[in-house]
Amino acid sequence: MPTLLGGCDMVVMNPTGDIAAQQRDLILFSTGIMLLVVVPVMALTVLFAWRYRRGNANKTYDPQFDHSTTLELAIWSIPLLIIIALSAVTWTSTHLLDPFRPLERLSAGRPIPPNTRTLQVQVVALDWKWLFIYPDLGIATVNELALPVDVPVRFSITSTSQFNTFYAPTMAGMIYAMPGMQSQLNAVLNKSGESWGYSGNYTGRGYSNMRFKLRALAPADFNSWAAEIKRGSKRGLEAASYVALERPSEKVPVMHFSSVTPGLFDRALNGCVQAGKPCMVDVMRRDMARGGGDPADGRMGSGMPAGRNTAPAGADKPTPALQKTPEEKGSGPNVTKPATPGAAPGRQRPGDPRNRDMSAVDAIPAAGASRAGRA
């Protein structure tokens, strides 16, 4: 078994970034504290099977045993303490490792120096490739992500058509990339080197090759890399080239773009890179304005689009049904129970199982009266 596992690269256990290192420590701590129960149980299973085996003449047999306070305390207190410890660690780590939370340090014992500028990287998950836009540098890459060492990075992440996950195991955890939505990730790399990133969510035929190269470079080397793309690449990422790039393709080689149209990521996020296609944010803004809505108004019905029976512009908006009184709603035989028994006896016949309010009982003659009438 060790020989077979020798070819495996446990990248999660060998992080090069502070966020990934904290996640590794969390995994090790959780595993270790859970082993405090698992290992004793496994050991006691073997011990009990040996000590109380049928052939052991010295075994203790006590058919009257039914309770042990010491045993009960051990059985319940130890797991309870472990749950408390795991709950405390989970609570703190959930907040400290929130991907939207700005970084407070480069690594353990190394705070972020004053006036440090965060590098902005915009990530778009395409079919089946990764697009990285560096808006501050005016460049873009496909299937290659280069980052300077010990520089905080803020990722803005979205997807074009499918539900993906942005995952660079040596840098940070897995972040969802969803069409029409923007996720964030704050991370930093502390060691130079190369590794790989990929999507952890299956997206079809080209999923297996949807990988990108993650390069951690010294700041001087990163500046040289960016300058080389700016100087050497003849391609620019514009609306037309983005639309062509967006088409599904497999095993796409690394590509560099020396220029990027401003606002391209926002247009990709809102699905309006193609000429003449309205942006989702504009459509929602028009619908909200047409319905008279206010994004800061949390009242029921706020932002309701115009439709039938909608009040004209400048008039009061109609009251939502859930806010109407019973008198305003009215009643009907198929919606509400009759106000008084017998209110609508003609609608239900005697013996009808749907006559739950018994309003038609009076129409059924008594047994004696029926016989008298026949007589």
Side-chain angles (χ1 to χ4, degrees):
M1 184 62 69
T3 303
L4 296 177
L5 294 177
C8 297
D9 184 10
M10 300 179 64
V11 291
V12 175
M13 296 292 110
N14 296 289
T16 58
D18 183 57
I19 299 298
Q22 295 183 65
Q23 293 174 338
R24 176 204 58 190
D25 296 342
L26 180 61
I27 293 173
L28 294 176
F29 175 81
S30 301
T31 303
I33 200 169
M34 287 186 289
L35 287 177
L36 294 178
V37 170
V38 175
V39 172
V41 168
M42 296 177 66
L44 289 174
T45 300
V46 177
L47 176 62
F48 278 36
W50 173 257
R51 183 173 180 178
Y52 297 101
R53 69 190 186 279
R54 184 175 183 180
N56 184 8
N58 298 322
K59 64 179 178 292
T60 301
Y61 177 66
D62 185 6
Q64 303 302 321
F65 174 84
D66 63 353
H67 179 73
S68 172
T69 302
T70 303
L71 188 59
E72 290 288 341
L73 287 174
I75 290 174
W76 291 104
S77 62
I78 295 177
L80 181 60
L81 292 174
I82 291 175
I83 292 174
I84 293 174
L86 289 176
S87 300
V89 171
T90 301
W91 173 265
T92 56
S93 61
T94 299
H95 291 82
L96 293 176
L97 298 178
D98 183 356
F100 283 73
R101 181 188 179 100
L103 298 182
E104 297 179 353
R105 69 181 197 182
L106 297 178
S107 61
R110 298 174 59 204
I112 298 178
N115 302 323
T116 299
R117 186 175 181 181
T118 300
L119 177 65
Q120 303 290 334
V121 178
Q122 298 168 339
V123 184
V124 183
L126 305 170
D127 296 332
W128 287 275
K129 48 198 169 289
W130 292 94
L131 171 64
F132 302 100
I133 301 174
Y134 299 78
D136 297 335
L137 304 177
I139 62 175
T141 63
V142 172
N143 289 342
E144 182 183 35
L145 174 61
L147 300 173
V149 172
D150 290 338
V151 174
V153 184
R154 179 178 292 112
F155 295 94
S156 301
I157 307 168
T158 190
S159 179
T160 54
S161 61
Q162 299 197 66
F163 202 108
N164 285 277
T165 57
F166 175 70
Y167 187 32
T170 60
M171 179 179 63
M174 187 181 300
I175 306 298
Y176 288 116
M178 298 166 282
M181 300 185 68
Q182 178 178 328
S183 298
Q184 289 186 17
L185 171 64
N186 288 275
V188 63
L189 290 172
N190 305 122
K191 299 179 182 178
S192 300
E194 293 187 358
S195 59
W196 290 92
Y198 54 91
S199 173
N201 195 71
Y202 181 72
T203 54
R205 184 180 62 189
Y207 161 77
S208 299
N209 296 300
M210 190 175 173
R211 292 173 169 263
F212 63 88
K213 181 182 295 185
L214 176 61
R215 303 179 61 189
L217 306 174
D221 295 334
F222 175 79
N223 293 334
S224 299
W225 172 83
E228 179 62 27
I229 293 178
K230 200 76 173 177
R231 180 175 58 253
S233 178
K234 304 300 182 183
R235 290 180 292 194
L237 187 60
E238 302 171 350
S241 55
Y242 175 87
V243 171
L245 184 66
E246 189 180 10
R247 299 190 186 101
S249 55
E250 302 179 46
K251 299 181 180 180
V252 177
V254 173
M255 302 170 61
H256 295 156
F257 299 91
S258 59
S259 63
V260 181
T261 299
L264 184 63
F265 176 80
D266 292 332
R267 294 173 62 185
L269 172 64
N270 288 280
C272 57
V273 179
Q274 296 86 346
K277 187 174 182 179
C279 293
M280 180 173 58
V281 65
D282 295 330
V283 173
M284 291 190 295
R285 186 182 297 112
R286 286 196 298 268
D287 289 344
M288 183 178 64
R290 187 169 64 246
D294 181 358
D297 188 353
R299 294 178 301 172
M300 189 180 303
S302 176
M304 184 172 58
R308 294 182 300 175
N309 300 326
T310 301
D316 294 335
K317 294 177 59 177
T319 304
L322 293 178
Q323 292 182 340
K324 290 183 178 180
T325 63
E327 291 75 14
E328 292 176 321
K329 292 181 181 179
S331 63
N334 297 325
V335 179
T336 58
K337 176 181 176 180
T340 58
R347 294 183 178 273
Q348 295 174 315
R349 293 175 297 178
D352 192 333
R354 296 172 294 178
N355 186 224
R356 297 188 179 94
D357 68 336
M358 306 300 290
S359 60
V361 171
D362 294 338
I364 303 176
S370 177
R371 285 194 297 269
R374 287 195 299 269

